[in-house]
Amino acid sequence: MELLKERILREATVINNDVLKLDALINHQVDPMLMQELGKEFARRFKEHSITKVITVESSGIPAAFTTALALGVPLVFARRKKTLIADPDALCERVPSFTKGIVTDIMVSRQFLTEEDSVLFIDDIIANGDAARGLIKIIERSGAKLAGVGILVEKSFQAGARTIREQGIKVESLVKISSLEDGKITFE
Ligand code: 5GP
């Protein structure tokens, strides 16, 4: 999506060959007008899938997931990151490694917000190795809800996450694909 590519070129910083800093438009400051356009684009790409809920992981997935849910006219559920995992019979939990923080966190979704009647669209900001996505996909599967697909703002296609999820037969739509961050240069696919 050209709009997002232009903004990334103008406002993102390459930290190293693996990490792109997107604090100016996604991870720290958020441009609501941009997010609204991105949400409409996800809604357009998944409009045939009878989505009943949009789901994401807190916190940086929330703005794009919110505008997607608004465009589709459905609720947004965000998985919460828990610091301690006290057994909760009403929660679906998964432990996921964090790409940027180098720690593991537990994510949880209350069973009451995901049911067998739901057709769920998972939206996230960036995909790298796919650990966050795999954790949330497991939660969706255990809830009995149907995963309609995955929408990602920025896919780093030189890392394996999105590819391995597509290989499971899941529809993954990325608005922008970055094939390399080598030598401080952002290369789009
Ligand atoms: P994964 O679980 O796919 O390895 O990593 C996904 C999560 O890590 C994303 O939700 C995102 O918040 C964070 N992340 C991964 N790569 C990057 C990156 O290059 N830049 C930033 N800012 N966050 C990233």
Side-chain angles (χ1 to χ4, degrees), residues 18-20 22 27 60 99-100 124-132 156:
D18 293 324
V19 180
L20 186 65
L22 287 161
N27 298 123
S60 45
F99 182 87
T100 42
D124 209 357
D125 59 340
I126 303 168
I127 191 160
N129 297 326
D131 292 310
K156 290 185 291 174

Side-chain angles (χ1 to χ4, degrees), residues 111-182:
R111 283 181 194 273
Q112 76 186 102
F113 301 124
L114 273 186
T115 72
E116 287 171 10
E117 282 81 54
D118 283 317
S119 176
V120 180
L121 171 58
F122 167 40
I123 298 288
D124 209 357
D125 59 340
I126 303 168
I127 191 160
N129 297 326
D131 292 310
R134 269 190 296 277
L136 199 57
I137 289 168
K138 276 192 206 151
I139 285 179
I140 295 166
E141 282 169 357
R142 281 167 48 211
S143 76
K146 178 175 172 290
L147 175 64
V150 179
I152 302 288
L153 295 179
V154 180
E155 172 180 339
K156 290 185 291 174
S157 55
F158 58 91
Q159 291 158 335
R163 188 178 68 243
T164 54
I165 293 166
R166 287 191 185 98
E167 282 168 2
Q168 292 175 47
I170 296 168
K171 174 174 171 172
V172 181
E173 288 283 330
S174 304
L175 299 189
V176 155
K177 289 183 187 168
I178 291 175
S179 58
S180 164
L181 294 172
E182 305 254 314

Side-chain angles (χ1 to χ4, degrees), residues 63 88 105 144-145:
D88 177 351
T105 54

Side-chain angles (χ1 to χ4, degrees), residues 23-59:
D23 283 8
L25 65 160
I26 295 175
N27 298 123
H28 195 1
Q29 170 175 266
V30 175
D31 178 342
M33 279 72 74
L34 173 68
M35 282 299 163
Q36 194 151 32
E37 292 310 310
L38 306 182
K40 282 184 197 160
E41 179 63 18
F42 282 132
R44 192 183 67 73
R45 294 190 191 195
F46 287 94
K47 66 175 186 295
E48 315 297 340
H49 292 266
S50 307
I51 306 295
T52 63
K53 262 172 204 171
V54 173
I55 192 161
T56 190
V57 183
E58 72 174 359
S59 58

